[in-house]
Amino acid sequence: MVHDPVCGMDIEKKDAAGTSVSKGRTVYFCSLRCKERFDAEPERFLRSQRSPTPKVRHPTSRPVLSGKKADAVHVTLPVEGMSCASCVLKVENALKAVPGILDAGVNFGTEEVSIDYLPAMTGPQDWKNAVRSAGDYHLLETPEETLEEVEAQSLEKRLRVLKHKTVFGLLASALVMVGSMKHMIPVLDSLPDIPVGLALLALSTAVLVWPGSQFFKGAWSSLRRRTADMNTLVALGAGSAYLYSTAAFLFPGMAHTSGMHDLYFDSAAMITSLVLLGRTLEARAKRRTSSAVRELIDLRPKTARVVRKEGERDIPTAEVIPGDRIVVRPGESIPVDGVVRRGRSSVDESMVTGEPMPVDKKPGDTVTGGTINKFGHLEFVAERVGGQTLLAQIVRSVREAQGSKAPVQRLVDRVASIFVPAVVVVAVLTFAVWWIFGPPPAFNRALLNFVSVLIIACPCALGLATPVAVVAGTGVGAKHGILIKNGESLETASRITSVVFDKTGTLTWGKPELVKVVPLGGFNEKDLLFFAASAEKGSEHPLAEAVVTEATRRGVALSEAESFQAVPGKGVRARVRKRTVLVGTEKWMTENGVGTAQASPQLESFALEGWTPLLAAVDKKLAGICGAADRLKENASRIVDRLKTAGLKVLLLTGDNARAAESVAKRIGIDEVKAGVLPQDKARVIEKLRQTGQTVAMVGDGINDAPALAQADVGMAFASGTDVAVHSAAITFMRNDLEAVIDAVRLSRKTMRIIRQNLFWAFVYNAVGIPIAAGVLYPAFGLTLKPVFAAAAMSLSSISVVANALRLRRIRLNGKING
């Protein structure tokens, strides 16, 4: 690799777009455009470029692997100040324009931005400047370990300020409304108009200056950048009503007003207060949608009891290092990941797997940080700490999924980019039509309808419709041991039409067991297991382990083998109690002169069952045959039946032989089987299914499944499988339970149903609300929509979208797709 000192990128010489000579050395460029600029004015171009900086990763960053450049990293940071979908686009576009940023995505629901960048070209200060230049937005730089805490503190502070502003605004607005209706209240009707008008002016000014200041600041910031957002609509609406009322009160002759009822201080104040109330309720609801991550983080104990030279002492969990000996008492949380050294206990791992039953732990077993030690004392050695623990990786995975966008969001983004300017145009046209053609007082009616259109059309509901549902859905999945990589995977999983299962380790436990022991030649079962297991004790082959396990289970005392020899693919030879023992395949027996004719009926029977035969001979005399099988998971048949009942096509794809595969498929109800398939061929099978129009989910756990998992529309892998399989999958199951497949499909379908509902009502709300606010009902029914009711409706639409997404938190994942 050669470092490009101009562009700050690593490039291969053979892939360089151009080269030049500078001060006796060859300079490689990542693009011809850079080379041309350098050749024209070398010194100026070099000065304009950022000097390469040491590649020190930002504390919240991690390598980007999915097709990005190898030296790029990924970071997720909170953003403050966004108010609608238009803000999302402005922040995204500002960041994408920064040199060195490969991609940037903003999630309005979590108020976070995900950035893929080249650390040699850009850094946090550049991003902060870019975000600030886009509007009244602020990017918070914080380490990943404290990201959730910083966000929670920021949200609590913002909520506290919003509450204070909202309470003040509502109280002041209520007084303004009462004063504006003085002619309808006998007690107030006798009061002079001027003192009451001055009070209304003062109160409404106070509302707009303090609670409403954020709208006007945001609108001014957008105006300077020649853009528009929700702040623009609120500021225009409330500001227009306020300015007109102020002018009408101070210069009644010029405004042609006929009393207090022609002033709209109440509209200006109440619009501001109701929008703030909506934002307050919306922020509280959004906090609940992302509570899953906070609940996971809260599981991390703050301290760990470490055994040091001076004895046991409590230290902050962040100070634990790999190799530390940690003691956990009954009822305490395990602080980090490690391996049990002493003690036995049961550990509640439901936070990781979603399984309620505690798991027994003994020396040699692994424990996970955040899980709860139920009964006994445990001492373990710390292995993974800090951001390397499983809990930290789960939190990171969930955060990234919540920060991602579902493909349907792209439509919303396109609509949002033109929505606010279009609304301003509609509002202006509404004003013009009412002023020119409306009944008297034409100007007053025109102004009220202008304000109503601006207020009712705020695109908050549109911007929240998708992200809050993605946040809630991925959070629910995490609590049930289902980690969904991103919004795209969530959406695609809802459209699955075919589910392809691997066999070994997926439908089966991946560990062969003896299911049949048939002694021959005068031997009994105990003798057969004694000689076979004693000979196999030195082998690491899974079938050998199955024989030894069965012998131990039956209480057979084994002997030490001598002259042990293993021949891969055939079997073993050993001396047990001075007798020569052979264990292995039929071919291995034949090669060593052992007759197998008497075993033919059993071999035929085993083949029909799909069992693997293991023959044993003592002193060249056949002693018997053992049948080994990979035990099916108990609920495999039920899961397959439920998938088929839900209208999904189910297939079995395995590298195992056809007879064994068909036997398994028949037992669990799978009709289509593709056996003896190599790993690279598995991917081709998946691709052929996709070419027929199927949306394919591949479920696997092994290295040989990785190509198929990556090729499928949605790859699903069990975390108990290989790392390669897990990294290739779009959905990872933390629990080794096939019901997780159904739960994932049901959760994705439910989430997409919520998203479609949210988008439908958001679009319908605007499609119906804007014409009503513009006055289409007036000719037929004499009805118009007052600005105050428009503000209430707008706030209600945003709250209803978030509340609908919160229904996902009540979903019960029980292995059923429907219901």
Side-chain angles (χ1 to χ4, degrees), residues 77 171 184 193 237 243 429 451 496 538 577 636 651 705 794 808:
L77 296 172
L171 289 175
M184 301 171 59
D193 283 354
L243 290 175
L429 290 175
V451 173
I496 288 172
R577 289 187 180 176
L651 301 88
D705 298 322
M794 185 276 293
L808 284 167

Side-chain angles (χ1 to χ4, degrees), residues 315-353:
I315 65 172
T317 302
E319 296 179 10
V320 175
I321 60 175
D324 274 341
R325 290 164 52 202
I326 299 174
V327 174
V328 185
R329 294 170 182 167
E332 294 181 339
S333 294
I334 295 169
V336 296
D337 298 357
V339 177
V340 177
R341 181 174 177 177
R342 292 179 186 159
R344 291 175 178 268
S345 182
S346 293
V347 175
D348 179 359
E349 296 185 337
S350 58
M351 50 75 63
V352 173
T353 64

Side-chain angles (χ1 to χ4, degrees), residues 517-795:
V517 178
V518 182
L520 298 169
F523 290 87
N524 58 36
E525 289 188 8
K526 185 176 181 180
D527 292 337
L528 172 59
L529 286 173
F530 167 75
F531 284 110
S534 296
E536 291 279 25
K537 260 177 67 175
S539 174
E540 297 180 353
H541 195 279
L543 290 176
E545 291 182 11
V547 174
V548 174
T549 299
E550 181 64 18
T552 303
R553 188 185 70 80
R554 296 194 184 192
V556 178
L558 306 182
S559 294
E560 291 297 323
E562 301 173 355
S563 305
F564 175 82
Q565 178 190 6
V567 180
K570 294 183 180 180
V572 301
R573 178 189 289 110
R575 295 279 293 174
V576 178
R577 289 187 180 176
K578 300 182 180 181
R579 303 182 73 175
T580 301
V581 179
L582 299 169
V583 184
T585 64
E586 183 179 8
K587 184 178 181 181
W588 180 238
M589 297 294 131
T590 303
E591 287 181 1
N592 285 276
V594 178
T596 61
Q598 58 181 316
S600 294
Q602 285 76 23
L603 291 173
E604 184 68 25
S605 174
F606 285 13
L608 292 174
E609 292 289 343
W611 298 342
T612 301
L614 197 66
L615 288 77
V618 179
D619 293 334
K620 293 194 175 184
K621 181 180 180 182
L622 190 63
I625 179 172
C626 300
D630 188 0
R631 185 165 54 92
L632 278 168
K633 291 180 178 178
E634 291 76 7
N635 59 354
S637 177
R638 186 172 72 253
I639 297 304
V640 169
D641 182 61
R642 287 179 179 173
L643 289 170
K644 292 168 69 175
T645 301
L648 301 179
K649 182 179 180 181
V650 183
L651 301 88
L652 177 61
L653 184 62
T654 178
D656 207 347
N657 65 75
R659 186 167 283 179
E662 288 169 0
S663 173
V664 168
K666 183 178 180 181
R667 288 160 60 190
I668 61 177
I670 294 180
D671 301 321
E672 188 171 342
V673 180
K674 295 188 182 298
V677 184
L678 298 174
Q680 60 270 29
D681 294 329
K682 285 187 176 183
R684 294 194 188 100
V685 172
I686 297 295
E687 180 56 27
K688 286 182 180 178
L689 281 172
R690 295 180 63 197
Q691 289 174 357
T692 63
Q694 300 284 325
T695 302
V696 182
M698 172 69 194
V699 187
D701 76 323
I703 292 176
N704 60 333
D705 298 322
L709 289 168
Q711 185 66 49
D713 294 289
V714 181
M716 300 179 177
F718 293 96
S720 57
T722 64
D723 288 343
V724 175
V726 171
H727 290 154
S728 301
I731 298 177
T732 301
F733 304 127
M734 301 308 296
R735 65 185 199 262
N736 196 6
D737 182 359
L738 286 171
E739 278 197 355
V741 177
I742 289 182
D743 288 343
V745 175
R746 180 166 182 247
L747 177 62
S748 63
R749 289 184 175 184
K750 186 74 172 178
T751 303
M752 289 309 301
R753 192 178 304 130
I754 293 289
I755 289 175
R756 285 192 290 268
Q757 289 171 358
N758 282 352
L759 289 175
F760 172 79
W761 288 114
F763 278 112
V764 167
Y765 162 80
N766 283 290
V768 174
I770 292 175
I772 291 176
V776 295
L777 297 181
Y778 185 82
F781 304 101
L783 297 176
T784 57
L785 186 66
K786 291 185 177 181
V788 171
F789 296 120
M794 185 276 293
S795 297

Side-chain angles (χ1 to χ4, degrees), residues 171-364:
L171 289 175
S173 299
L175 292 174
V176 173
M177 288 195 73
V178 171
S180 299
M181 296 185 295
K182 69 180 286 289
H183 60 285
M184 301 171 59
I185 304 173
V187 177
L188 299 178
D189 193 34
S190 59
L191 295 175
D193 283 354
I194 292 180
V196 174
L198 286 172
L200 299 184
L201 174 61
L203 286 170
S204 59
T205 300
V207 172
L208 268 64
V209 167
W210 183 41
S213 60
Q214 63 193 66
F215 301 117
F216 294 96
K217 287 179 181 178
W220 173 246
S221 178
S222 296
L223 181 62
R224 286 189 303 158
R225 292 161 184 83
R226 298 180 182 179
T227 60
D229 58 15
M230 172 185 169
N231 293 314
T232 306
L233 301 181
V234 176
L236 277 174
S240 298
Y242 172 80
L243 290 175
Y244 170 78
S245 301
T246 302
F249 174 69
L250 297 177
F251 310 103
M254 182 181 69
H256 303 290
T257 56
S258 57
M260 296 295 295
H261 56 275
D262 285 336
L263 303 181
Y264 306 114
F265 288 121
D266 56 337
S267 295
M270 193 56 78
I271 284 169
T272 304
S273 301
L274 287 175
V275 174
L276 275 174
L277 175 63
R279 282 195 179 182
T280 303
L281 297 175
E282 177 188 305
R284 292 182 62 183
K286 283 164 67 176
R287 180 178 58 181
R288 293 178 62 196
T289 64
S290 57
S291 62
V293 174
R294 287 195 301 276
E295 290 172 7
L296 287 173
I297 290 176
D298 289 342
L299 292 171
R300 296 186 300 201
K302 299 290 187 278
T303 61
R305 187 172 295 107
V306 179
V307 180
R308 297 278 171 86
K309 291 181 179 180
E310 61 273 20
E312 292 184 13
R313 66 188 184 96
D314 290 342
I315 65 172
T317 302
E319 296 179 10
V320 175
I321 60 175
D324 274 341
R325 290 164 52 202
I326 299 174
V327 174
V328 185
R329 294 170 182 167
E332 294 181 339
S333 294
I334 295 169
V336 296
D337 298 357
V339 177
V340 177
R341 181 174 177 177
R342 292 179 186 159
R344 291 175 178 268
S345 182
S346 293
V347 175
D348 179 359
E349 296 185 337
S350 58
M351 50 75 63
V352 173
T353 64
E355 291 291 340
M357 293 299 295
V359 180
D360 293 334
K361 297 293 180 181
K362 61 183 184 300

